[in-house]
């Protein structure tokens, strides 16, 4: 029921910034827990940041103090502001939406197609 489309990835120098966007459609956006994941070649997909329907946030230790997750429920948008980027941040970044209650009509776990972020000189 939910479709997610990421944008904003690209090539940036170390120390630079990027802002990723995720546009959602197909359901009531405000009730979903949202997050950003990333996957580098040869590595498992990992959680970067999450923002719950309550507004609470959580970050991976590797990005704390550098990345900020936010959401605009009126626009059905999720964002990831990435500052002080490092080469190890290079990965495909995925938007995620989840409603984790199996007894609900809205139960589900959805993913975008991913957007490439490359940090290099």
């Amino acid at each position: 029921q939910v479709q997610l489309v990421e944008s904003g990835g690209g090539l940036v120098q170390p120390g630079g910034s990027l802002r990723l966007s995720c546009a959602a459609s197909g359901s009531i956006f405000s009730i979903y827990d949202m997050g950003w994941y990333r996957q580098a070649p040869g590595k498992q997909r990992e959680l970067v940041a999450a923002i719950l329907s309550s507004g609470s946030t959580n970050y991976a230790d590797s990005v704390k103090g550098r990345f900020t997750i936010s959401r605009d429920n009126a626009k059905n948008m999720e964002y990831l502001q990435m500052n002080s980027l490092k080469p190890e941040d290079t990965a495909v970044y995925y938007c995620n939406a989840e409603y984790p209650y199996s007894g609900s009509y809205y139960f589900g776990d959805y993913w975008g197609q991913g957007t490439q972020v490359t940090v290099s000189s």
Side-chain angles (χ1 to χ4, degrees), residues 18-33:
L18 284 174
R19 189 194 194 203
L20 304 184
S21 299
C22 174
S25 63
S27 191
I28 302 174
F29 180 78
S30 62
I31 70 172
Y32 288 88
D33 297 333

Side-chain angles (χ1 to χ4, degrees), residues 30-44:
S30 62
I31 70 172
Y32 288 88
D33 297 333
M34 303 294 298
W36 287 96
Y37 290 72
R38 68 186 181 188
Q39 187 168 23
K43 296 185 178 180
Q44 294 184 340

Side-chain angles (χ1 to χ4, degrees), residues 2-121:
V2 177
Q3 295 182 359
L4 305 172
V5 180
E6 303 98 332
S7 62
L11 175 65
V12 64
Q13 294 183 341
S17 298
L18 284 174
R19 189 194 194 203
L20 304 184
S21 299
C22 174
S25 63
S27 191
I28 302 174
F29 180 78
S30 62
I31 70 172
Y32 288 88
D33 297 333
M34 303 294 298
W36 287 96
Y37 290 72
R38 68 186 181 188
Q39 187 168 23
K43 296 185 178 180
Q44 294 184 340
R45 188 173 299 186
E46 64 175 348
L47 175 67
V48 177
I51 181 165
L52 307 185
S53 61
S54 65
S56 64
T57 58
N58 188 52
Y59 297 91
D61 288 341
S62 60
V63 307
K64 286 181 179 177
R66 300 189 298 120
F67 291 10
T68 303
I69 189 171
S70 62
R71 64 193 295 167
D72 186 336
N73 291 335
K75 297 181 178 179
N76 288 5
M77 296 289 291
E78 181 196 22
Y79 306 97
L80 184 68
Q81 179 66 46
M82 304 186 295
N83 299 325
S84 302
L85 283 162
K86 305 175 181 179
E88 49 264 45
D89 295 318
T90 296
V92 177
Y93 284 71
Y94 297 90
C95 179
N96 170 256
E98 182 181 26
Y99 195 84
Y101 306 108
S102 62
S104 174
Y105 169 83
Y106 300 101
F107 172 74
D109 188 19
Y110 305 92
W111 296 89
Q113 83 289 343
T115 185
Q116 177 71 47
V117 172
T118 302
V119 185
S120 176
S121 298

